[in-house]
Amino acid sequence: MVERFTGPLSGLAQKIIRQFWPGPLTLIFKIKEGSLPEAVTGGLKTAAFRMPANQVTRDLIAAVGNPLVGPSANSSGKPSPTTAQHVFHDLEGRIAGIVDDGPTQLGVESTILDLSVETPTVLRPGGVSVEELEAFLGQEIISDKHKVGQKETPKAPGMKYKHYAPSAQVLMVKTGDWPEALAWAQTRSKAVAILADQNIITIPGLQVYDLGSDVVAASHALFAGLRHFDQDPKIKYILAQTYSQDGLGAAYMNRLNKSAGEQYFSKTLNLD
């Protein structure tokens, strides 16, 4: 199905597909001229393709006989949906229906790997880590840190400077800064929420969304937590737990970083 739009795939592309599809890996290919409308490509000469691991989705694609094309099922710039309820909240009245096969398995979206360039480049970290790709291919993978401007067409979703953002300002908290951050939060308890491991952050009176005990659990819960606090208009700040950027931590921190606009908690910040 992909080759209808790209022409014959390279040996490298076929090798990657055999290993990682179906699964959380999106691949960007150059496409044949005129094979897809501009509404799909955004005017680019490339397109992103993924075979999802979800069987219901694959059955739907097979029944249609064509790729399914669409943007993320959420309001632009807001946290990604991980349940059908999240989709309904954002898109009620603007879509015909929702195929509900339960919550997403991973939480964070797929890794996006650009194979339209000479050296394979990860444009967005996700469920397949850079380390996994490098180990499988036996070569270095570039991890692109580029952010697109407001008027620039992104080659992949989630590349804009601020993305996945709730209405409240997210502040990332480094491990050593939690005592000071929590002391500040206690002085503004109704306006500040905590997105962290509840076993660590145990202060009465603060609103806490439990991210779980490790980065795997946190990656699954991150968007649901951001959306949870987005329903309370009194919350002005969300203090969020950070993780090292190894393995799945790269995907977690990529999403958290963009939801916060790269803003960390600091006593020097001018916080009202």
Side-chain angles (χ1 to χ4, degrees):
M1 191 179 281
V2 171
E3 288 184 330
R4 284 162 44 189
F5 308 97
T6 64
L9 294 171
S10 68
L12 176 66
Q14 292 183 45
K15 179 180 178 181
I16 291 171
I17 285 171
R18 284 194 298 270
Q19 177 69 14
F20 294 104
W21 277 10
L25 181 65
T26 296
L27 300 175
I28 294 179
F29 297 113
K30 292 178 182 177
I31 55 171
K32 294 185 288 187
E33 187 173 355
S35 64
L36 287 169
E38 190 170 315
V40 175
T41 65
L44 299 173
K45 296 181 179 179
T46 58
F49 298 85
R50 183 166 75 90
M51 181 189 287
N54 180 265
Q55 187 61 52
V56 170
T57 308
R58 293 209 307 278
D59 289 345
L60 181 59
I61 294 169
V64 172
N66 280 303
L68 302 182
V69 180
S72 299
N74 59 291
S75 301
S76 179
K78 287 294 185 179
S80 297
T82 56
T83 69
Q85 289 73 26
H86 294 161
V87 177
F88 185 78
H89 176 272
D90 281 19
L91 301 180
E92 179 185 4
R94 292 189 281 165
I95 55 175
I98 300 169
V99 178
D100 183 1
D101 193 38
T104 58
Q105 294 298 304
L106 191 60
V108 295
E109 306 91 337
S110 62
T111 301
I112 298 178
L113 180 64
D114 191 354
L115 294 180
S116 71
V117 291
E118 186 172 339
T119 303
T121 302
V122 169
L123 300 184
R124 180 184 74 186
V128 177
S129 70
V130 172
E131 293 88 344
E132 284 180 89
L133 289 167
E134 289 181 333
F136 174 70
L137 296 176
Q139 68 178 84
E140 183 179 354
I141 299 291
I142 297 173
S143 188
D144 190 6
K145 306 296 190 208
H146 173 65
K147 301 183 187 73
V148 302
Q150 289 297 319
K151 296 183 179 179
E152 187 179 351
T153 301
K155 206 173 188 181
M159 290 180 70
K160 290 191 174 181
Y161 176 75
K162 194 164 186 181
H163 202 67
Y164 317 113
S167 298
Q169 173 63 55
V170 176
L171 298 172
M172 297 179 286
V173 182
K174 296 177 182 177
T175 301
D177 290 339
W178 273 112
E180 189 170 35
L182 291 172
W184 170 78
Q186 284 182 287
T187 68
R188 297 163 175 80
S189 60
K190 295 192 182 303
V192 181
I194 311 296
L195 192 61
D197 181 348
Q198 201 165 29
N199 293 319
I200 299 174
I201 314 302
T202 54
I203 293 183
L206 294 181
Q207 297 188 65
V208 179
Y209 190 94
D210 189 359
L211 284 181
S213 59
D214 56 30
V215 72
V216 175
S219 297
H220 188 268
L222 175 63
F223 290 138
L226 293 173
R227 283 180 167 273
H228 172 77
F229 291 133
D230 213 16
Q231 297 177 46
D232 187 345
K234 296 190 298 295
I235 294 175
K236 304 301 180 187
Y237 297 99
I238 300 172
L239 299 178
Q241 185 169 348
T242 56
Y243 283 91
S244 67
Q245 300 198 42
D246 301 321
L248 191 58
Y252 173 88
M253 287 303 299
N254 171 269
R255 308 310 190 275
L256 182 60
N257 211 3
K258 288 179 179 173
S259 73
E262 301 191 336
Q263 187 71 68
Y264 282 86
F265 173 83
S266 169
K267 63 181 179 182
T268 61
L269 283 177
N270 182 22
L271 301 171
D272 55 30

